[in-house]
Amino acid sequence: MSEKISGIIASPGIRIGKAHVYKTSEAIIPKYSIREENIEAEIERYKKSLEKTKDEIKTIQEQIARSLSKDMADIFTSHLMVLEDPIVTEKAISRIRFERKNAEWIINDITLDLIQNLGGIEDEYLRERIIDISDINKRLINNLQKRPGESLKDIQEEVIIISKDLTPSDTATMDRRRILAFVTDKGGRTSHTAIMARALEIPAIVGTHTTTSAVREGDTVIVDAIHGNVIINPTENELREYHEYIKDLRRLDRELAKITRLPSTTLDDVEIRILGNIEIPEEMSLIKEHSAQGIGLFRSEFLFLDRSLPDEEKQYQEYRKVVEFFNPLPVTIRTLDVGGDKIYSYNKEQRERNPFLGCRAIRFSLEHEDLFRTQIRSILRASAHGNVKMMIPMISTVEEIIRSRNITLECMDELRQESVPFNENIPIGIMVEVPSAILSADRFSKYADFFSVGTNDLVQYTLAVDRISEKIAYLYNPLDLSVLRFLKQIVETSKHCDVPLSICGEIAGEPKYTMLLIGLGFREFSMSTAYMYQVKRIIRSVTSAECEDLVKTLMNMEKTSEIENKLFEVMRARFPWLSI
Ligand code: PEP
Ligand code: MG
């Protein structure tokens, strides 16, 4: 009998292979006293290991900058910051001096304190930094003991890595040809390890809790990072099915890739524009390869992952890179959407009881106006290099758009005075992801140059269901009649008010919803590349009229389960290759 464990998809794909259980070997920490006359030598030993560790991190950083990108390499800047933090170094030296204990023990004790302080914190981003600190600790201790740490780059055969957790430096040094995929017990979507896996295109599932205790060295494992499952010691049947599935996916991908250059129009000639969603600039090439017609959502949170805030120049350079790459196609840069489940390391003192209903996105930006102005200036500067649109997340009142526009106008004045070029007519749009924005869209339309519907949040705010709660996940369904009514309403209002509309929530990129969205009247979809080809294939095989009929049928139903069954039944029948 096989065993199936589920987890969070950190990087998509399916792989089958032999497991290598990677023991991030718990360092052995000796504890002994140092004689007075040897104290300075012990401090010297500590300093040497510190230097060696810094060198190692810098080497990894350079490697990553060469093989991937500077942004990815920057992930290790926070490692270096901890290593170079004078408070930590002073503390270690004075503790060695006064407690007269060996460096390994003191360093480990300081690390445990740091980790304990972070462990109780609710913020996912900060908790993820524990792994960065453990990474440094392990390296320091290995260097003190002159033990080379086990490294993933030494692996000689094709394996699937199973580990409690992986440090960013583990992931960064992986040999893509040998490491087919990895699975970890810990970790979340925002961990540096997950971001790195996506950039390296290594399929990965994290946060599985129990995989390391269920897998033994050499076990056969299927990593299904399409559905989020790890299958341990699959049966002959499962293996056969998955091999078939992989073949099908490859065949489908090849077939679908052929339609890249074909127009994205329905059989009755209705054009449906497909744009891309990106979280890090590294994704832009993939989006272009898929022939997307620009970027409909460029999330800017990646710039704010580290403790230090990105300055105007850094932001400008990052935006400019993407804007120039796509010019003349549009790039829609969304201002910071911090709060909720997203990082805010510099806002940690203000923990909120209901972060999703709290100081999130535009609310945060308006509260931290300096930060907002810096971002707006850098977006405006990038607008001189191509087709930039600026988008404000989580607008819930008209005042928020008016204030945002006024601040933008002031930033424009400043730039004009400084003779810095920018696009005077840059479109400023809003995310429509809160019910108030739909109900009052006619009013908001006076101040918004475009609308983009964020269904990920719209569903949670319409149904009062926390989008990240596993416990009530069964209630989170975009097919609820209330959500469909909202979607229909925003399409109608945007038509009536003549405001361009697009949709950029996850459902825009899920083929099982494509007919529904066309039928509701959406004509511009923004999505990640995962199912772009499939969505296009569906667009090219339907008529807008049949999609409208389908929507009519669905919207006459009551229960969400009925709507879902009917829609998926139709989709399965029309597109047997779809996995629903
Ligand atoms: C959304 O809410 O649908 C959206 C696209 O934004 P995010 O997932 O970043 O909140
Ligand atoms: Mg959102």
Side-chain angles (χ1 to χ4, degrees), residues 493-572:
T493 314
S494 76
K495 250 191 227 148
H496 183 72
C497 301
D498 201 19
V499 177
L501 176 73
S502 86
I503 179 162
C504 64
E506 291 309 305
I507 65 169
E510 288 182 50
K512 61 187 181 199
Y513 299 114
T514 306
M515 282 186 77
L516 171 87
L517 296 178
I518 297 175
L520 282 166
F522 287 94
R523 296 295 178 257
E524 184 171 300
F525 295 15
S526 190
M527 63 189 80
S528 65
T529 51
Y531 303 107
M532 225 179 233
Y533 293 147
Q534 302 193 13
V535 170
K536 191 160 171 186
R537 180 164 168 185
I538 294 176
I539 291 171
R540 291 180 51 82
S541 353
V542 298
T543 64
S544 61
E546 70 171 315
C547 297
E548 279 156 24
D549 284 347
L550 174 63
V551 166
K552 263 188 215 129
T553 312
L554 298 176
M555 291 189 73
N556 271 328
M557 294 175 157
E558 243 166 54
K559 290 193 205 134
T560 315
S561 57
E562 270 178 305
I563 299 178
E564 186 171 278
N565 289 342
K566 178 71 190 166
L567 174 65
F568 294 168
E569 184 191 298
V570 171
M571 295 307 284
R572 271 190 219 105

Coordinates of all heavy atoms in Angstrom, one line a residue, residues 493-572:
T493 N -21.3 47.2 -14.7 CA -20.9 48.6 -14.4 C -19.8 49.1 -15.2 O -19.8 50.2 -15.6 CB -20.6 48.7 -12.9 OG1 -21.6 48.0 -12.1 CG2 -20.5 50.1 -12.4
S494 N -18.8 48.2 -15.4 CA -17.6 48.7 -16.1 C -18.0 49.1 -17.6 O -17.5 50.0 -18.2 CB -16.5 47.7 -16.1 OG -16.7 46.7 -16.9
K495 N -18.9 48.2 -18.1 CA -19.4 48.5 -19.5 C -20.2 49.9 -19.5 O -19.9 50.7 -20.3 CB -20.4 47.4 -19.9 CG -19.8 46.5 -21.0 CD -20.9 45.6 -21.6 CE -20.4 44.2 -21.7 NZ -21.4 43.2 -21.5
H496 N -21.1 50.0 -18.6 CA -21.9 51.2 -18.5 C -21.1 52.4 -18.3 O -21.3 53.5 -18.9 CB -22.9 51.0 -17.3 CG -23.8 52.1 -17.1 ND1 -24.9 52.3 -18.0 CD2 -23.9 53.1 -16.2 CE1 -25.5 53.4 -17.6 NE2 -25.0 53.8 -16.5
C497 N -20.0 52.3 -17.4 CA -19.2 53.5 -17.2 C -18.0 53.6 -18.1 O -17.2 54.5 -17.9 CB -18.7 53.5 -15.7 SG -20.0 53.4 -14.5
D498 N -17.9 52.7 -19.0 CA -16.8 52.7 -20.0 C -15.4 52.6 -19.3 O -14.5 53.4 -19.7 CB -17.0 53.9 -20.9 CG -16.3 53.7 -22.2 OD1 -16.0 52.6 -22.5 OD2 -16.0 54.7 -22.9
V499 N -15.3 51.7 -18.4 CA -14.0 51.6 -17.7 C -13.4 50.2 -18.1 O -14.1 49.2 -17.9 CB -14.1 51.6 -16.2 CG1 -12.8 51.4 -15.5 CG2 -14.7 53.0 -15.8
P500 N -12.2 50.1 -18.7 CA -11.7 48.8 -19.1 C -11.6 47.9 -17.8 O -11.3 48.3 -16.7 CB -10.3 49.2 -19.6 CG -10.3 50.6 -19.9 CD -11.3 51.2 -19.0
L501 N -11.9 46.6 -18.1 CA -12.0 45.7 -17.0 C -11.1 44.5 -17.3 O -11.0 44.0 -18.4 CB -13.4 45.2 -16.9 CG -13.7 44.1 -15.8 CD1 -13.6 44.7 -14.4 CD2 -15.1 43.5 -16.0
S502 N -10.4 44.0 -16.2 CA -9.7 42.7 -16.4 C -9.9 41.9 -15.1 O -10.5 42.4 -14.1 CB -8.3 42.9 -16.8 OG -7.5 43.0 -15.6
I503 N -9.5 40.6 -15.2 CA -9.6 39.8 -14.0 C -8.3 39.1 -13.7 O -7.7 38.6 -14.7 CB -10.8 38.8 -14.1 CG1 -10.9 37.9 -12.9 CG2 -10.7 37.9 -15.4 CD1 -12.3 37.2 -12.7
C504 N -7.8 39.2 -12.5 CA -6.4 38.7 -12.3 C -6.3 37.7 -11.1 O -5.3 37.3 -10.7 CB -5.4 39.8 -12.1 SG -5.7 40.9 -10.6
G505 N -7.5 37.4 -10.5 CA -7.5 36.4 -9.4 C -7.1 35.0 -10.0 O -7.1 34.8 -11.2
E506 N -6.8 34.1 -9.1 CA -6.4 32.7 -9.5 C -7.4 32.1 -10.5 O -6.9 31.4 -11.4 CB -6.2 31.8 -8.3 CG -5.1 32.1 -7.4 CD -3.7 32.3 -8.2 OE1 -3.3 31.3 -8.9 OE2 -3.1 33.3 -8.0
I507 N -8.7 32.4 -10.4 CA -9.6 31.7 -11.3 C -9.4 32.1 -12.7 O -9.8 31.3 -13.6 CB -11.1 31.8 -10.8 CG1 -11.6 33.3 -10.9 CG2 -11.4 31.3 -9.4 CD1 -13.1 33.4 -10.8
A508 N -8.9 33.2 -13.0 CA -8.6 33.6 -14.3 C -7.7 32.7 -15.0 O -7.7 32.5 -16.3 CB -8.1 35.1 -14.4
G509 N -6.8 32.0 -14.3 CA -5.8 31.1 -14.8 C -6.2 29.7 -14.7 O -5.3 28.8 -14.9
E510 N -7.4 29.4 -14.2 CA -7.8 28.0 -14.1 C -8.8 27.6 -15.2 O -9.9 28.1 -15.2 CB -8.4 27.7 -12.7 CG -7.3 27.8 -11.6 CD -7.9 27.5 -10.2 OE1 -8.6 26.5 -10.1 OE2 -7.7 28.3 -9.3
P511 N -8.4 26.7 -16.1 CA -9.2 26.4 -17.2 C -10.6 26.0 -16.9 O -11.5 26.2 -17.7 CB -8.4 25.3 -18.0 CG -7.3 24.9 -17.1 CD -7.1 25.9 -16.0
K512 N -10.8 25.4 -15.8 CA -12.2 24.9 -15.5 C -13.2 26.1 -15.3 O -14.4 25.9 -15.3 CB -12.2 24.0 -14.2 CG -11.7 24.7 -13.0 CD -11.6 23.6 -11.9 CE -11.2 24.3 -10.6 NZ -10.6 23.3 -9.6
Y513 N -12.6 27.3 -15.1 CA -13.5 28.5 -15.0 C -13.6 29.3 -16.3 O -14.2 30.4 -16.3 CB -13.1 29.4 -13.9 CG -13.1 28.7 -12.5 CD1 -11.9 28.5 -11.8 CD2 -14.3 28.4 -11.9 CE1 -11.9 27.9 -10.6 CE2 -14.3 27.7 -10.7 CZ -13.1 27.5 -10.0 OH -13.1 26.9 -8.8
T514 N -12.8 28.9 -17.3 CA -12.7 29.8 -18.5 C -14.1 30.1 -19.2 O -14.4 31.3 -19.4 CB -11.7 29.2 -19.5 OG1 -10.5 28.9 -18.8 CG2 -11.4 30.1 -20.7
M515 N -14.9 29.1 -19.4 CA -16.2 29.3 -20.0 C -17.0 30.2 -19.2 O -17.7 31.1 -19.7 CB -16.9 28.0 -20.3 CG -16.3 27.2 -21.5 SD -17.3 25.8 -21.9 CE -18.8 26.5 -22.7
L516 N -17.0 30.0 -17.9 CA -17.8 30.8 -17.0 C -17.4 32.2 -17.1 O -18.3 33.1 -17.2 CB -17.5 30.3 -15.5 CG -18.1 31.2 -14.4 CD1 -19.6 30.7 -14.2 CD2 -17.3 31.1 -13.2
L517 N -16.1 32.5 -17.1 CA -15.7 33.9 -17.1 C -16.0 34.6 -18.4 O -16.4 35.8 -18.5 CB -14.2 34.0 -16.8 CG -13.9 33.6 -15.3 CD1 -12.4 33.7 -15.1 CD2 -14.6 34.4 -14.3
I518 N -15.9 33.8 -19.5 CA -16.3 34.4 -20.8 C -17.8 34.7 -20.8 O -18.2 35.8 -21.2 CB -15.9 33.4 -22.0 CG1 -14.4 33.2 -22.1 CG2 -16.4 34.0 -23.3 CD1 -14.0 32.2 -23.1
G519 N -18.5 33.7 -20.3 CA -20.0 33.9 -20.3 C -20.4 35.1 -19.4 O -21.4 35.7 -19.7
L520 N -19.6 35.3 -18.4 CA -20.0 36.5 -17.5 C -19.6 37.8 -18.2 O -20.1 38.9 -17.8 CB -19.2 36.4 -16.2 CG -19.8 35.4 -15.2 CD1 -18.7 35.1 -14.1 CD2 -21.1 35.9 -14.5
G521 N -18.8 37.7 -19.2 CA -18.5 39.0 -20.0 C -17.0 39.5 -19.8 O -16.7 40.6 -20.3
F522 N -16.2 38.7 -19.2 CA -14.8 39.1 -19.0 C -14.1 39.0 -20.4 O -14.3 37.9 -21.1 CB -14.0 38.4 -17.9 CG -14.5 38.8 -16.6 CD1 -15.5 38.1 -15.9 CD2 -13.9 39.9 -16.0 CE1 -15.9 38.5 -14.7 CE2 -14.3 40.3 -14.7 CZ -15.3 39.6 -14.0
R523 N -13.3 39.9 -20.8 CA -12.6 39.9 -22.0 C -11.0 40.0 -21.9 O -10.3 40.0 -22.8 CB -13.1 41.0 -23.0 CG -14.5 40.8 -23.3 CD -14.8 39.6 -24.2 NE -16.2 39.3 -24.5 CZ -16.9 38.4 -23.9 NH1 -16.5 37.7 -22.9 NH2 -18.2 38.2 -24.3
E524 N -10.6 40.2 -20.6 CA -9.2 40.3 -20.4 C -8.8 39.5 -19.1 O -9.4 39.8 -18.1 CB -8.7 41.7 -20.2 CG -7.2 41.8 -20.1 CD -6.6 43.2 -20.1 OE1 -6.8 43.9 -21.2 OE2 -6.0 43.7 -19.2
F525 N -8.0 38.5 -19.3 CA -7.6 37.6 -18.2 C -6.1 37.8 -17.9 O -5.3 37.7 -18.8 CB -7.8 36.1 -18.5 CG -9.2 35.7 -18.8 CD1 -10.2 36.6 -19.1 CD2 -9.5 34.3 -18.8 CE1 -11.5 36.1 -19.3 CE2 -10.8 33.9 -19.1 CZ -11.8 34.8 -19.3
S526 N -5.8 37.9 -16.6 CA -4.4 37.9 -16.3 C -4.1 36.7 -15.3 O -4.8 36.5 -14.4 CB -4.0 39.2 -15.6 OG -2.6 39.4 -15.5
M527 N -3.0 36.0 -15.7 CA -2.8 34.7 -14.9 C -1.3 34.3 -14.9 O -0.5 34.9 -15.7 CB -3.6 33.6 -15.7 CG -3.1 33.4 -17.1 SD -4.2 32.3 -18.0 CE -5.5 33.4 -18.5
S528 N -1.0 33.3 -14.1 CA 0.4 32.8 -14.1 C 0.5 31.9 -15.3 O -0.6 31.5 -15.9 CB 0.7 32.1 -12.8 OG -0.1 31.0 -12.7
T529 N 1.7 31.4 -15.7 CA 1.8 30.6 -16.9 C 1.3 29.2 -16.8 O 1.1 28.5 -17.8 CB 3.2 30.5 -17.4 OG1 4.0 30.1 -16.3 CG2 3.7 31.8 -17.9
A530 N 1.1 28.7 -15.5 CA 0.8 27.3 -15.3 C -0.2 26.7 -16.3 O 0.0 25.6 -16.9 CB 0.3 27.1 -13.9
Y531 N -1.3 27.4 -16.5 CA -2.4 26.8 -17.4 C -2.7 27.7 -18.6 O -3.8 27.6 -19.1 CB -3.6 26.4 -16.6 CG -3.4 25.5 -15.5 CD1 -3.4 26.0 -14.2 CD2 -3.1 24.2 -15.7 CE1 -3.1 25.1 -13.1 CE2 -2.8 23.3 -14.7 CZ -2.8 23.8 -13.4 OH -2.6 22.9 -12.3
M532 N -1.8 28.6 -18.9 CA -2.1 29.6 -19.9 C -2.5 28.9 -21.3 O -3.5 29.4 -21.9 CB -0.9 30.5 -20.2 CG -1.2 31.9 -20.2 SD 0.3 32.8 -20.5 CE 0.2 34.0 -19.1
Y533 N -1.7 27.9 -21.7 CA -2.1 27.2 -22.9 C -3.4 26.6 -22.9 O -4.2 26.6 -23.8 CB -1.1 26.1 -23.2 CG 0.3 26.5 -23.5 CD1 1.4 25.7 -23.1 CD2 0.6 27.7 -24.2 CE1 2.7 26.1 -23.4 CE2 1.9 28.1 -24.5 CZ 3.0 27.2 -24.1 OH 4.3 27.6 -24.3
Q534 N -3.7 26.0 -21.7 CA -5.0 25.3 -21.6 C -6.2 26.3 -21.7 O -7.2 26.0 -22.4 CB -5.1 24.5 -20.3 CG -4.0 23.5 -20.2 CD -4.2 22.5 -19.1 OE1 -5.3 22.4 -18.6 NE2 -3.2 21.8 -18.8
V535 N -6.0 27.4 -21.0 CA -7.1 28.4 -21.1 C -7.3 28.9 -22.5 O -8.4 29.0 -23.0 CB -6.7 29.6 -20.1 CG1 -7.6 30.8 -20.4 CG2 -6.7 29.2 -18.7
K536 N -6.1 29.1 -23.2 CA -6.2 29.6 -24.6 C -6.9 28.5 -25.5 O -7.7 28.9 -26.3 CB -4.8 29.9 -25.1 CG -4.9 30.6 -26.4 CD -3.5 31.3 -26.6 CE -3.4 31.9 -28.0 NZ -2.1 32.4 -28.2
R537 N -6.6 27.3 -25.2 CA -7.2 26.2 -26.0 C -8.8 26.2 -25.9 O -9.5 26.1 -26.8 CB -6.7 24.9 -25.7 CG -7.3 23.7 -26.5 CD -6.4 22.5 -26.3 NE -7.1 21.3 -26.8 CZ -6.6 20.1 -26.8 NH1 -5.4 19.9 -26.2 NH2 -7.3 19.1 -27.3
I538 N -9.2 26.4 -24.6 CA -10.6 26.5 -24.4 C -11.2 27.7 -25.1 O -12.3 27.6 -25.7 CB -10.9 26.5 -22.8 CG1 -10.5 25.2 -22.3 CG2 -12.4 26.8 -22.6 CD1 -10.6 25.0 -20.8
I539 N -10.6 28.9 -24.9 CA -11.1 30.1 -25.5 C -11.3 29.8 -27.0 O -12.3 30.2 -27.6 CB -10.1 31.3 -25.4 CG1 -10.0 31.7 -23.9 CG2 -10.4 32.4 -26.3 CD1 -8.9 32.7 -23.6
R540 N -10.3 29.2 -27.7 CA -10.4 28.9 -29.1 C -11.4 27.9 -29.5 O -11.7 27.7 -30.7 CB -9.0 28.6 -29.7 CG -8.0 29.7 -29.6 CD -6.7 29.4 -30.1 NE -6.7 28.7 -31.4 CZ -6.8 29.4 -32.6 NH1 -6.9 30.7 -32.6 NH2 -6.9 28.7 -33.7
S541 N -12.0 27.1 -28.5 CA -12.9 26.1 -28.9 C -14.4 26.4 -28.6 O -15.2 25.5 -28.7 CB -12.6 24.7 -28.3 OG -11.4 24.7 -27.7
V542 N -14.7 27.6 -28.0 CA -16.0 27.8 -27.6 C -16.6 29.1 -28.3 O -15.8 29.9 -28.8 CB -16.1 28.0 -26.1 CG1 -15.7 26.8 -25.3 CG2 -15.3 29.2 -25.6
T543 N -17.9 29.2 -28.2 CA -18.5 30.5 -28.7 C -18.9 31.3 -27.4 O -19.2 30.7 -26.4 CB -19.7 30.3 -29.6 OG1 -20.7 29.7 -28.8 CG2 -19.4 29.5 -30.8
S544 N -18.9 32.6 -27.6 CA -19.2 33.4 -26.4 C -20.7 33.1 -26.1 O -21.1 33.1 -24.9 CB -19.0 34.9 -26.6 OG -19.7 35.3 -27.7
A545 N -21.5 32.8 -27.1 CA -22.9 32.6 -26.9 C -23.2 31.3 -26.0 O -24.0 31.4 -25.1 CB -23.7 32.4 -28.2
E546 N -22.4 30.3 -26.3 CA -22.7 29.1 -25.5 C -22.2 29.3 -24.0 O -22.8 28.8 -23.1 CB -22.0 27.8 -26.1 CG -20.5 27.8 -26.1 CD -19.9 26.5 -26.5 OE1 -20.4 25.4 -26.0 OE2 -18.9 26.5 -27.2
C547 N -21.1 30.1 -23.9 CA -20.7 30.4 -22.5 C -21.8 31.3 -21.8 O -22.0 31.0 -20.6 CB -19.4 31.3 -22.6 SG -18.0 30.4 -23.3
E548 N -22.4 32.2 -22.5 CA -23.5 33.0 -21.9 C -24.6 32.1 -21.5 O -25.2 32.2 -20.4 CB -23.9 34.1 -22.9 CG -23.0 35.3 -22.8 CD -23.1 36.1 -24.1 OE1 -24.1 36.0 -24.8 OE2 -22.1 36.8 -24.4
D549 N -25.0 31.2 -22.3 CA -26.1 30.2 -22.0 C -25.7 29.4 -20.7 O -26.6 29.2 -19.9 CB -26.3 29.2 -23.1 CG -27.0 29.9 -24.3 OD1 -27.6 31.0 -24.1 OD2 -27.1 29.3 -25.4
L550 N -24.5 29.0 -20.7 CA -24.1 28.2 -19.5 C -24.2 29.0 -18.3 O -24.7 28.6 -17.2 CB -22.6 27.7 -19.7 CG -21.9 27.0 -18.6 CD1 -22.6 25.7 -18.2 CD2 -20.4 26.7 -18.9
V551 N -23.8 30.3 -18.3 CA -23.8 31.2 -17.2 C -25.3 31.3 -16.7 O -25.6 31.3 -15.5 CB -23.1 32.5 -17.4 CG1 -23.5 33.6 -16.4 CG2 -21.6 32.3 -17.5
K552 N -26.2 31.5 -17.7 CA -27.6 31.6 -17.4 C -28.1 30.4 -16.6 O -28.7 30.6 -15.6 CB -28.4 31.8 -18.7 CG -28.7 33.2 -19.0 CD -29.7 33.4 -20.1 CE -29.3 34.6 -20.9 NZ -29.2 34.4 -22.4
T553 N -27.7 29.2 -17.1 CA -28.2 28.0 -16.4 C -27.6 28.0 -15.0 O -28.3 27.7 -14.0 CB -27.6 26.8 -17.2 OG1 -27.9 26.9 -18.5 CG2 -28.1 25.5 -16.6
L554 N -26.3 28.3 -14.8 CA -25.7 28.2 -13.5 C -26.3 29.2 -12.5 O -26.5 28.9 -11.4 CB -24.2 28.5 -13.6 CG -23.4 27.5 -14.5 CD1 -21.9 28.0 -14.6 CD2 -23.4 26.1 -13.9
M555 N -26.6 30.4 -13.1 CA -27.1 31.5 -12.2 C -28.6 31.3 -11.8 O -29.1 32.0 -11.0 CB -26.8 32.9 -12.7 CG -25.3 33.1 -12.7 SD -24.8 34.8 -13.1 CE -25.2 35.7 -11.7
N556 N -29.2 30.3 -12.4 CA -30.6 30.0 -12.0 C -30.6 28.9 -10.9 O -31.6 28.6 -10.4 CB -31.4 29.4 -13.2 CG -32.0 30.6 -13.9 OD1 -32.4 31.6 -13.3 ND2 -32.1 30.4 -15.2
M557 N -29.4 28.5 -10.6 CA -29.3 27.4 -9.5 C -29.1 28.1 -8.2 O -28.9 29.3 -8.1 CB -28.1 26.5 -9.8 CG -28.4 25.7 -11.1 SD -26.9 24.7 -11.5 CE -27.7 23.5 -12.5
E558 N -29.2 27.3 -7.1 CA -29.2 27.9 -5.8 C -27.9 27.5 -5.0 O -27.2 28.3 -4.6 CB -30.4 27.3 -5.0 CG -31.4 28.3 -4.5 CD -32.6 27.7 -4.1 OE1 -32.5 26.8 -3.2 OE2 -33.7 28.0 -4.6
K559 N -27.8 26.2 -4.9 CA -26.7 25.7 -4.1 C -25.3 25.8 -4.8 O -25.3 25.4 -6.0 CB -26.9 24.2 -3.7 CG -28.0 24.0 -2.7 CD -28.0 22.6 -2.2 CE -29.3 22.1 -1.7 NZ -29.6 20.8 -2.2
T560 N -24.3 26.1 -4.1 CA -23.0 26.2 -4.7 C -22.6 24.8 -5.3 O -22.0 24.7 -6.3 CB -21.9 26.6 -3.6 OG1 -22.5 27.7 -2.9 CG2 -20.6 27.0 -4.3
S561 N -22.9 23.7 -4.5 CA -22.6 22.4 -5.0 C -23.2 22.1 -6.3 O -22.6 21.5 -7.2 CB -22.9 21.3 -4.0 OG -24.3 21.4 -3.7
E562 N -24.5 22.5 -6.5 CA -25.2 22.3 -7.8 C -24.5 23.0 -8.9 O -24.3 22.5 -10.0 CB -26.6 22.9 -7.7 CG -27.7 22.0 -7.2 CD -29.0 22.8 -7.1 OE1 -29.0 23.9 -6.5 OE2 -29.9 22.4 -7.7
I563 N -24.1 24.3 -8.6 CA -23.5 25.1 -9.7 C -22.1 24.5 -10.0 O -21.8 24.3 -11.2 CB -23.2 26.5 -9.1 CG1 -24.5 27.2 -8.8 CG2 -22.4 27.4 -10.1 CD1 -24.4 28.6 -8.2
E564 N -21.4 24.0 -9.0 CA -20.1 23.4 -9.3 C -20.2 22.1 -10.1 O -19.5 21.9 -11.1 CB -19.4 23.2 -7.9 CG -18.0 22.7 -8.1 CD -17.2 22.6 -6.8 OE1 -16.8 23.7 -6.3 OE2 -17.2 21.5 -6.2
N565 N -21.2 21.3 -9.6 CA -21.3 20.0 -10.3 C -21.7 20.2 -11.8 O -21.1 19.6 -12.7 CB -22.4 19.2 -9.7 CG -22.0 18.6 -8.4 OD1 -20.8 18.6 -8.1 ND2 -22.9 18.2 -7.5
K566 N -22.6 21.2 -12.0 CA -23.1 21.4 -13.4 C -21.9 22.0 -14.2 O -21.6 21.4 -15.3 CB -24.2 22.4 -13.4 CG -24.7 22.8 -14.7 CD -25.5 21.6 -15.4 CE -25.8 21.9 -16.8 NZ -26.2 20.7 -17.5
L567 N -21.2 23.0 -13.7 CA -20.1 23.6 -14.5 C -19.0 22.5 -14.8 O -18.6 22.4 -16.0 CB -19.4 24.7 -13.7 CG -18.2 25.3 -14.4 CD1 -18.5 26.0 -15.7 CD2 -17.5 26.4 -13.5
F568 N -18.6 21.8 -13.8 CA -17.5 20.8 -14.0 C -18.0 19.7 -14.9 O -17.2 19.1 -15.7 CB -16.9 20.3 -12.7 CG -16.3 21.4 -11.9 CD1 -15.9 21.2 -10.6 CD2 -16.0 22.6 -12.5 CE1 -15.2 22.2 -9.9 CE2 -15.4 23.6 -11.8 CZ -15.0 23.4 -10.5
E569 N -19.2 19.3 -14.8 CA -19.8 18.3 -15.7 C -19.7 18.7 -17.2 O -19.2 18.0 -18.1 CB -21.2 18.0 -15.3 CG -22.0 16.9 -16.0 CD -23.5 17.1 -15.7 OE1 -23.8 16.9 -14.5 OE2 -24.2 17.3 -16.7
V570 N -20.1 20.0 -17.4 CA -20.0 20.5 -18.8 C -18.5 20.6 -19.2 O -18.2 20.2 -20.4 CB -20.6 21.9 -18.8 CG1 -20.3 22.6 -20.2 CG2 -22.1 21.9 -18.6
M571 N -17.7 21.1 -18.4 CA -16.3 21.2 -18.7 C -15.6 19.9 -19.0 O -14.8 19.7 -20.0 CB -15.5 22.0 -17.6 CG -15.9 23.4 -17.4 SD -15.9 24.4 -18.9 CE -14.2 24.7 -19.2
R572 N -15.9 18.9 -18.2 CA -15.3 17.5 -18.4 C -15.8 17.0 -19.8 O -15.0 16.4 -20.5 CB -15.8 16.6 -17.3 CG -14.8 16.6 -16.1 CD -15.1 15.5 -15.1 NE -14.9 16.0 -13.8 CZ -15.8 16.3 -12.9 NH1 -17.1 16.1 -13.2 NH2 -15.5 16.8 -11.8

